[in-house]
Amino acid sequence: MDRYTVFYDEFCPFCNFSVKVLRRFDVLHRMDFQGMVEYSKKNRIPVEDLMNSGIQVQTPEGRRYFRMRAISLLTLRSPPLFLISLAADFLILAGLGEGVYEFVASRRYSIPIPGNSQRHRRGSL
């Protein structure tokens, strides 16, 4: 079965928590996860170019989806998360998807994570 590659900020507690949830609910085993910093070093791509695009998903055919569309695609590929996909699609169709994504993304270092008492800031590691 073809796999989707998820690119995420591996130094962000909220992003790591989200990946943990996605891994847990990836019952079809269709997702691989790649940290953006690690990927940028291996492929000599400026990490800022990757980070500025937010979460990214690359399909088996090589097409990339970004931000809210990436979330919609990932949750659609995971049956337990299907309702989140519907909500993401509704926000996209209503023209609110990118605004909601940006609101969360701009606060991701200060969002409380269960079991994580530390707060990190980009560039602090």
Side-chain angles (χ1 to χ4, degrees):
M1 192 178 296
D2 295 325
R3 297 178 67 78
Y4 294 78
T5 304
V6 180
F7 298 93
Y8 70 99
D9 179 356
E10 66 263 45
F11 295 112
C12 164
F14 181 74
C15 302
N16 283 308
F17 176 75
S18 299
V19 166
K20 184 178 177 181
V21 169
L22 286 169
R23 279 190 173 128
R24 176 167 291 170
F25 291 107
D26 182 21
V27 295
L28 301 176
H29 307 290
R30 298 191 69 192
M31 297 179 210
D32 291 320
F33 299 89
Q34 177 73 57
M36 289 182 185
V37 173
E38 181 183 332
Y39 181 81
S40 72
K41 287 178 183 177
K42 285 183 187 176
N43 295 286
R44 297 181 183 201
I45 299 170
V47 72
E48 294 81 16
D49 292 350
L50 293 171
M51 294 283 190
N52 289 336
S53 299
I55 187 172
Q56 302 174 33
V57 177
Q58 183 170 318
T59 67
E61 299 81 26
R63 186 164 180 191
R64 287 217 180 185
Y65 291 85
F66 304 91
R67 303 167 65 90
M68 189 60 87
R69 292 200 183 276
I71 292 168
S72 174
L73 180 70
L74 289 174
T75 54
L76 182 61
R77 298 303 182 275
S78 177
L81 301 175
F82 178 72
L83 292 177
I84 294 173
S85 179
L86 290 177
D89 287 344
F90 174 77
L91 289 171
I92 291 167
L93 289 173
L96 302 172
E98 290 306 307
V100 170
Y101 182 91
E102 188 58 40
F103 177 82
V104 173
S106 67
R107 290 156 180 77
R108 65 192 172 129
Y109 290 101
S110 59
I111 296 173
I113 307 299
N116 182 1
S117 61
Q118 297 178 344
R119 289 187 174 176
H120 299 283
R121 296 273 181 227
R122 183 182 285 176
S124 66
L125 297 176

